[in-house]
Every structure is written in structure tokens, then in C-alpha cells.
Amino acid sequence: MTAPDLSEEEQREQRRREEDAARLFSGRVEFLLSAPQLKFLPEPTMPEIAFCGRSNVGKSSLLNAITGRKAIARASVTPGRTQELNFFEVGDPGLFRLVDMPGYGFAKAPVAVVEKWKKLVRSYLRGRQILNRTLVLVDSRHGLKDVDREMMTMLDEAAVGYRVVLTKADKIKKSELDKTVAKVAEEAKKHIAAFPHLHVTSSEKGMGIAELRAAVVQDALG
């Protein structure tokens, strides 16, 4: 299950947060830099929210939907295209950053390349003090895979709080989606760093985007 039903007052507050977040993202959102190694990371001057998930999970599309841009993050039909940590700055002056992390779980990438990406991701997660939250994206059609569980365990061990976000929710029947939501939510409860509320989204249809956008701003700015 996702969040419990909200009271009228809580619904008003949620709408206010969503409107504030939409206004913020209607302003400056710019690509900052790509970091193939930790030494290229930007100075830790503001909070960061990271996005991670299996290759082809819809990460670029979700970033575009949240920011209200068509192509701030490039979507690719080639899984594993993102091989670096890509940083986007939000606000003028900058208030926080979004971090597009390398996709994982792609079968065709060379082992050495995969290990290099794993090391980069692991080092970033464990050593970045300004990382306020990570979003773990999971394809609604497939549910949690072993590589997702590996990432969740890594985040647990790094004591990095994270939200589980189901993507492409419009691609399956509601009955199947409900089963996936229940199953993923139940498993997420076993992970100490997982946020209790599960986000169900569709970048194409806009499902859950306003709520997730507000959550990103809240996680970044408090």
C-alpha cells in the first residue's frame, strides 16, 4: 500500500506543496556538469537529490517530467548510456541539485565498465554528505529485481535515506499494478533506509509527478 488517506487539512497542505514545487521548477533548471570520477564532483555547497535505477527504467523521462522540461535529461533507447554522474542545478540562485546516476543492470556492458560505474556510484553514495535523499526507480512491469535489492542494501549500509518510485505505471493493467505496489511496498519495509511511502508514477501520463516533485523539494529544502 502507499500513503494512508489524507485528511482535508493534509490534502490542502499537499496541494500547497505541489503548487510551490511547480513554481520552483518553472524557474531555472540547468545542466551543471558530468562527473566521470569523484574528483570532478561539484563543490558541496547545496543539497543533492539523486536518481538511480536499472537501465531503461525511465529515469531520464522522469527527470524531464519532474523538471517540466522536454529534454533536460536525454532519454536513450540504448540502455546504459548514462555512464557518469550528471548534475542539474535548480533555482536562481541555486537551491539544490538533481543527480542523474549511471543506470545499472545492463547485460551488454563490459564487466570492467560495469565495475567502474559501480565503484563510482558506491563511493558517491557513501561519501557525499550533502546527499539528502536518493530515489530508487523500479519498473512497474517488472517489480524489484536482484540489482534493485543490491542498490537498496547499498543505501541501507551507507545510511542514505531513499524513496522507492515505481515508473511506467500506465504500461500495465491496474490489477497487476496493485499487486506490484503491494509486493514492493512490503519488501521495502524490510530496508531500514527506505522511506515508508511508495511513489507510483507515469512520466508519459503525468501520474504521481506533482506529488513526487513536491517530495523532491521537501527532501532537498526541508
PDB file of all heavy atoms in Angstrom, residues 178-202:
ATOM      1  N   ASP A 178      -1.561  -2.940  -8.903  1.00  0.00           N
ATOM      2  CA  ASP A 178      -1.878  -3.046  -7.477  1.00  0.00           C
ATOM      3  C   ASP A 178      -1.068  -4.157  -6.811  1.00  0.00           C
ATOM      4  O   ASP A 178      -0.581  -4.010  -5.686  1.00  0.00           O
ATOM      5  CB  ASP A 178      -3.371  -3.295  -7.277  1.00  0.00           C
ATOM      6  CG  ASP A 178      -4.224  -2.089  -7.624  1.00  0.00           C
ATOM      7  OD1 ASP A 178      -3.661  -0.971  -7.710  1.00  0.00           O
ATOM      8  OD2 ASP A 178      -5.442  -2.252  -7.830  1.00  0.00           O
ATOM      9  N   LYS A 179      -0.920  -5.267  -7.523  1.00  0.00           N
ATOM     10  CA  LYS A 179      -0.133  -6.389  -6.987  1.00  0.00           C
ATOM     11  C   LYS A 179       1.331  -5.990  -6.823  1.00  0.00           C
ATOM     12  O   LYS A 179       1.966  -6.300  -5.815  1.00  0.00           O
ATOM     13  CB  LYS A 179      -0.247  -7.603  -7.920  1.00  0.00           C
ATOM     14  CG  LYS A 179      -1.608  -8.270  -7.930  1.00  0.00           C
ATOM     15  CD  LYS A 179      -1.626  -9.432  -8.927  1.00  0.00           C
ATOM     16  CE  LYS A 179      -3.012 -10.064  -9.030  1.00  0.00           C
ATOM     17  NZ  LYS A 179      -3.030 -11.162 -10.040  1.00  0.00           N
ATOM     18  N   THR A 180       1.862  -5.304  -7.832  1.00  0.00           N
ATOM     19  CA  THR A 180       3.264  -4.880  -7.785  1.00  0.00           C
ATOM     20  C   THR A 180       3.483  -3.882  -6.654  1.00  0.00           C
ATOM     21  O   THR A 180       4.465  -3.971  -5.910  1.00  0.00           O
ATOM     22  CB  THR A 180       3.680  -4.244  -9.124  1.00  0.00           C
ATOM     23  OG1 THR A 180       3.517  -5.201 -10.168  1.00  0.00           O
ATOM     24  CG2 THR A 180       5.123  -3.782  -9.077  1.00  0.00           C
ATOM     25  N   VAL A 181       2.570  -2.929  -6.529  1.00  0.00           N
ATOM     26  CA  VAL A 181       2.673  -1.927  -5.467  1.00  0.00           C
ATOM     27  C   VAL A 181       2.705  -2.606  -4.095  1.00  0.00           C
ATOM     28  O   VAL A 181       3.557  -2.295  -3.254  1.00  0.00           O
ATOM     29  CB  VAL A 181       1.500  -0.929  -5.539  1.00  0.00           C
ATOM     30  CG1 VAL A 181       1.451  -0.069  -4.281  1.00  0.00           C
ATOM     31  CG2 VAL A 181       1.623  -0.043  -6.771  1.00  0.00           C
ATOM     32  N   ALA A 182       1.784  -3.535  -3.877  1.00  0.00           N
ATOM     33  CA  ALA A 182       1.715  -4.225  -2.586  1.00  0.00           C
ATOM     34  C   ALA A 182       2.991  -5.021  -2.307  1.00  0.00           C
ATOM     35  O   ALA A 182       3.539  -4.990  -1.197  1.00  0.00           O
ATOM     36  CB  ALA A 182       0.497  -5.144  -2.557  1.00  0.00           C
ATOM     37  N   LYS A 183       3.472  -5.703  -3.324  1.00  0.00           N
ATOM     38  CA  LYS A 183       4.655  -6.546  -3.164  1.00  0.00           C
ATOM     39  C   LYS A 183       5.902  -5.717  -2.900  1.00  0.00           C
ATOM     40  O   LYS A 183       6.702  -6.035  -2.000  1.00  0.00           O
ATOM     41  CB  LYS A 183       4.846  -7.401  -4.414  1.00  0.00           C
ATOM     42  CG  LYS A 183       5.879  -8.507  -4.264  1.00  0.00           C
ATOM     43  CD  LYS A 183       5.870  -9.417  -5.486  1.00  0.00           C
ATOM     44  CE  LYS A 183       6.877 -10.557  -5.321  1.00  0.00           C
ATOM     45  NZ  LYS A 183       6.845 -11.482  -6.493  1.00  0.00           N
ATOM     46  N   VAL A 184       6.084  -4.641  -3.667  1.00  0.00           N
ATOM     47  CA  VAL A 184       7.264  -3.789  -3.493  1.00  0.00           C
ATOM     48  C   VAL A 184       7.211  -3.064  -2.155  1.00  0.00           C
ATOM     49  O   VAL A 184       8.228  -2.961  -1.455  1.00  0.00           O
ATOM     50  CB  VAL A 184       7.377  -2.782  -4.658  1.00  0.00           C
ATOM     51  CG1 VAL A 184       8.505  -1.779  -4.393  1.00  0.00           C
ATOM     52  CG2 VAL A 184       7.622  -3.514  -5.973  1.00  0.00           C
ATOM     53  N   ALA A 185       6.039  -2.569  -1.780  1.00  0.00           N
ATOM     54  CA  ALA A 185       5.900  -1.863  -0.511  1.00  0.00           C
ATOM     55  C   ALA A 185       6.214  -2.780   0.657  1.00  0.00           C
ATOM     56  O   ALA A 185       6.873  -2.376   1.631  1.00  0.00           O
ATOM     57  CB  ALA A 185       4.489  -1.294  -0.374  1.00  0.00           C
ATOM     58  N   GLU A 186       5.764  -4.021   0.580  1.00  0.00           N
ATOM     59  CA  GLU A 186       6.017  -4.981   1.649  1.00  0.00           C
ATOM     60  C   GLU A 186       7.514  -5.264   1.774  1.00  0.00           C
ATOM     61  O   GLU A 186       8.053  -5.330   2.891  1.00  0.00           O
ATOM     62  CB  GLU A 186       5.260  -6.278   1.375  1.00  0.00           C
ATOM     63  CG  GLU A 186       5.348  -7.306   2.494  1.00  0.00           C
ATOM     64  CD  GLU A 186       4.746  -6.832   3.802  1.00  0.00           C
ATOM     65  OE1 GLU A 186       3.791  -6.027   3.759  1.00  0.00           O
ATOM     66  OE2 GLU A 186       5.231  -7.245   4.879  1.00  0.00           O
ATOM     67  N   GLU A 187       8.171  -5.401   0.658  1.00  0.00           N
ATOM     68  CA  GLU A 187       9.612  -5.683   0.691  1.00  0.00           C
ATOM     69  C   GLU A 187      10.405  -4.461   1.153  1.00  0.00           C
ATOM     70  O   GLU A 187      11.405  -4.592   1.862  1.00  0.00           O
ATOM     71  CB  GLU A 187      10.101  -6.138  -0.684  1.00  0.00           C
ATOM     72  CG  GLU A 187      11.528  -6.649  -0.677  1.00  0.00           C
ATOM     73  CD  GLU A 187      11.889  -7.462  -1.907  1.00  0.00           C
ATOM     74  OE1 GLU A 187      10.971  -7.874  -2.651  1.00  0.00           O
ATOM     75  OE2 GLU A 187      13.089  -7.688  -2.109  1.00  0.00           O
ATOM     76  N   ALA A 188       9.943  -3.272   0.770  1.00  0.00           N
ATOM     77  CA  ALA A 188      10.644  -2.046   1.162  1.00  0.00           C
ATOM     78  C   ALA A 188      10.652  -1.868   2.679  1.00  0.00           C
ATOM     79  O   ALA A 188      11.583  -1.267   3.236  1.00  0.00           O
ATOM     80  CB  ALA A 188      10.007  -0.838   0.483  1.00  0.00           C
ATOM     81  N   LYS A 189       9.623  -2.391   3.342  1.00  0.00           N
ATOM     82  CA  LYS A 189       9.552  -2.280   4.804  1.00  0.00           C
ATOM     83  C   LYS A 189      10.732  -2.954   5.497  1.00  0.00           C
ATOM     84  O   LYS A 189      11.075  -2.629   6.631  1.00  0.00           O
ATOM     85  CB  LYS A 189       8.247  -2.906   5.316  1.00  0.00           C
ATOM     86  CG  LYS A 189       6.985  -2.152   4.964  1.00  0.00           C
ATOM     87  CD  LYS A 189       5.767  -2.894   5.479  1.00  0.00           C
ATOM     88  CE  LYS A 189       4.475  -2.214   5.083  1.00  0.00           C
ATOM     89  NZ  LYS A 189       3.277  -2.966   5.545  1.00  0.00           N
ATOM     90  N   LYS A 190      11.354  -3.900   4.805  1.00  0.00           N
ATOM     91  CA  LYS A 190      12.467  -4.644   5.397  1.00  0.00           C
ATOM     92  C   LYS A 190      13.785  -3.880   5.298  1.00  0.00           C
ATOM     93  O   LYS A 190      14.798  -4.327   5.839  1.00  0.00           O
ATOM     94  CB  LYS A 190      12.602  -6.003   4.700  1.00  0.00           C
ATOM     95  CG  LYS A 190      11.344  -6.859   4.768  1.00  0.00           C
ATOM     96  CD  LYS A 190      11.481  -8.126   3.928  1.00  0.00           C
ATOM     97  CE  LYS A 190      10.191  -8.940   3.922  1.00  0.00           C
ATOM     98  NZ  LYS A 190      10.291 -10.136   3.049  1.00  0.00           N
ATOM     99  N   HIS A 191      13.776  -2.760   4.588  1.00  0.00           N
ATOM    100  CA  HIS A 191      15.003  -1.985   4.394  1.00  0.00           C
ATOM    101  C   HIS A 191      14.978  -0.749   5.294  1.00  0.00           C
ATOM    102  O   HIS A 191      14.069   0.080   5.195  1.00  0.00           O
ATOM    103  CB  HIS A 191      15.143  -1.586   2.923  1.00  0.00           C
ATOM    104  CG  HIS A 191      15.441  -2.740   2.019  1.00  0.00           C
ATOM    105  ND1 HIS A 191      16.733  -3.098   1.684  1.00  0.00           N
ATOM    106  CD2 HIS A 191      14.623  -3.639   1.406  1.00  0.00           C
ATOM    107  CE1 HIS A 191      16.697  -4.161   0.888  1.00  0.00           C
ATOM    108  NE2 HIS A 191      15.435  -4.506   0.704  1.00  0.00           N
ATOM    109  N   ILE A 192      15.998  -0.629   6.127  1.00  0.00           N
ATOM    110  CA  ILE A 192      15.983   0.396   7.179  1.00  0.00           C
ATOM    111  C   ILE A 192      16.047   1.828   6.643  1.00  0.00           C
ATOM    112  O   ILE A 192      15.584   2.758   7.307  1.00  0.00           O
ATOM    113  CB  ILE A 192      17.143   0.181   8.174  1.00  0.00           C
ATOM    114  CG1 ILE A 192      18.491   0.214   7.438  1.00  0.00           C
ATOM    115  CG2 ILE A 192      16.977  -1.127   8.925  1.00  0.00           C
ATOM    116  CD1 ILE A 192      19.683   0.157   8.369  1.00  0.00           C
ATOM    117  N   ALA A 193      16.610   2.022   5.453  1.00  0.00           N
ATOM    118  CA  ALA A 193      16.749   3.382   4.931  1.00  0.00           C
ATOM    119  C   ALA A 193      15.635   3.760   3.956  1.00  0.00           C
ATOM    120  O   ALA A 193      15.614   4.877   3.449  1.00  0.00           O
ATOM    121  CB  ALA A 193      18.109   3.557   4.255  1.00  0.00           C
ATOM    122  N   ALA A 194      14.726   2.826   3.694  1.00  0.00           N
ATOM    123  CA  ALA A 194      13.656   3.093   2.723  1.00  0.00           C
ATOM    124  C   ALA A 194      12.565   3.961   3.337  1.00  0.00           C
ATOM    125  O   ALA A 194      12.103   3.702   4.453  1.00  0.00           O
ATOM    126  CB  ALA A 194      13.063   1.782   2.220  1.00  0.00           C
ATOM    127  N   PHE A 195      12.125   4.972   2.620  1.00  0.00           N
ATOM    128  CA  PHE A 195      11.022   5.823   3.045  1.00  0.00           C
ATOM    129  C   PHE A 195       9.740   4.993   2.986  1.00  0.00           C
ATOM    130  O   PHE A 195       9.550   4.218   2.049  1.00  0.00           O
ATOM    131  CB  PHE A 195      10.937   7.031   2.115  1.00  0.00           C
ATOM    132  CG  PHE A 195      10.173   8.190   2.663  1.00  0.00           C
ATOM    133  CD1 PHE A 195      10.745   9.041   3.590  1.00  0.00           C
ATOM    134  CD2 PHE A 195       8.872   8.438   2.248  1.00  0.00           C
ATOM    135  CE1 PHE A 195      10.034  10.121   4.097  1.00  0.00           C
ATOM    136  CE2 PHE A 195       8.156   9.520   2.751  1.00  0.00           C
ATOM    137  CZ  PHE A 195       8.743  10.369   3.679  1.00  0.00           C
ATOM    138  N   PRO A 196       8.853   5.128   3.965  1.00  0.00           N
ATOM    139  CA  PRO A 196       7.671   4.249   4.010  1.00  0.00           C
ATOM    140  C   PRO A 196       6.651   4.462   2.901  1.00  0.00           C
ATOM    141  O   PRO A 196       5.886   3.555   2.577  1.00  0.00           O
ATOM    142  CB  PRO A 196       7.052   4.571   5.380  1.00  0.00           C
ATOM    143  CG  PRO A 196       7.569   5.936   5.720  1.00  0.00           C
ATOM    144  CD  PRO A 196       8.943   6.010   5.145  1.00  0.00           C
ATOM    145  N   HIS A 197       6.653   5.639   2.290  1.00  0.00           N
ATOM    146  CA  HIS A 197       5.661   5.932   1.250  1.00  0.00           C
ATOM    147  C   HIS A 197       6.200   5.566  -0.130  1.00  0.00           C
ATOM    148  O   HIS A 197       7.276   6.003  -0.524  1.00  0.00           O
ATOM    149  CB  HIS A 197       5.292   7.416   1.285  1.00  0.00           C
ATOM    150  CG  HIS A 197       4.368   7.840   0.189  1.00  0.00           C
ATOM    151  ND1 HIS A 197       3.188   7.194  -0.093  1.00  0.00           N
ATOM    152  CD2 HIS A 197       4.451   8.870  -0.703  1.00  0.00           C
ATOM    153  CE1 HIS A 197       2.578   7.798  -1.108  1.00  0.00           C
ATOM    154  NE2 HIS A 197       3.331   8.812  -1.495  1.00  0.00           N
ATOM    155  N   LEU A 198       5.451   4.752  -0.862  1.00  0.00           N
ATOM    156  CA  LEU A 198       5.838   4.328  -2.199  1.00  0.00           C
ATOM    157  C   LEU A 198       5.213   5.267  -3.231  1.00  0.00           C
ATOM    158  O   LEU A 198       4.027   5.573  -3.154  1.00  0.00           O
ATOM    159  CB  LEU A 198       5.345   2.895  -2.440  1.00  0.00           C
ATOM    160  CG  LEU A 198       5.896   2.130  -3.639  1.00  0.00           C
ATOM    161  CD1 LEU A 198       7.365   1.810  -3.437  1.00  0.00           C
ATOM    162  CD2 LEU A 198       5.110   0.830  -3.833  1.00  0.00           C
ATOM    163  N   HIS A 199       6.015   5.729  -4.191  1.00  0.00           N
ATOM    164  CA  HIS A 199       5.512   6.625  -5.233  1.00  0.00           C
ATOM    165  C   HIS A 199       5.221   5.830  -6.505  1.00  0.00           C
ATOM    166  O   HIS A 199       6.074   5.062  -6.967  1.00  0.00           O
ATOM    167  CB  HIS A 199       6.528   7.720  -5.537  1.00  0.00           C
ATOM    168  CG  HIS A 199       6.728   8.684  -4.410  1.00  0.00           C
ATOM    169  ND1 HIS A 199       6.018   9.855  -4.272  1.00  0.00           N
ATOM    170  CD2 HIS A 199       7.552   8.625  -3.331  1.00  0.00           C
ATOM    171  CE1 HIS A 199       6.392  10.488  -3.177  1.00  0.00           C
ATOM    172  NE2 HIS A 199       7.330   9.759  -2.585  1.00  0.00           N
ATOM    173  N   VAL A 200       4.039   6.022  -7.062  1.00  0.00           N
ATOM    174  CA  VAL A 200       3.635   5.334  -8.287  1.00  0.00           C
ATOM    175  C   VAL A 200       3.486   6.389  -9.373  1.00  0.00           C
ATOM    176  O   VAL A 200       2.669   7.312  -9.245  1.00  0.00           O
ATOM    177  CB  VAL A 200       2.309   4.572  -8.084  1.00  0.00           C
ATOM    178  CG1 VAL A 200       1.926   3.822  -9.358  1.00  0.00           C
ATOM    179  CG2 VAL A 200       2.428   3.609  -6.907  1.00  0.00           C
ATOM    180  N   THR A 201       4.280   6.265 -10.447  1.00  0.00           N
ATOM    181  CA  THR A 201       4.333   7.344 -11.433  1.00  0.00           C
ATOM    182  C   THR A 201       4.232   6.854 -12.873  1.00  0.00           C
ATOM    183  O   THR A 201       4.498   5.697 -13.181  1.00  0.00           O
ATOM    184  CB  THR A 201       5.661   8.129 -11.300  1.00  0.00           C
ATOM    185  OG1 THR A 201       6.752   7.287 -11.716  1.00  0.00           O
ATOM    186  CG2 THR A 201       5.890   8.610  -9.888  1.00  0.00           C
ATOM    187  N   SER A 202       3.855   7.788 -13.727  1.00  0.00           N
ATOM    188  CA  SER A 202       3.949   7.611 -15.175  1.00  0.00           C
ATOM    189  C   SER A 202       4.386   8.945 -15.757  1.00  0.00           C
ATOM    190  O   SER A 202       3.644   9.933 -15.676  1.00  0.00           O
ATOM    191  CB  SER A 202       2.603   7.202 -15.776  1.00  0.00           C
ATOM    192  OG  SER A 202       2.622   7.402 -17.186  1.00  0.00           O
TER     193      SER A 202
END
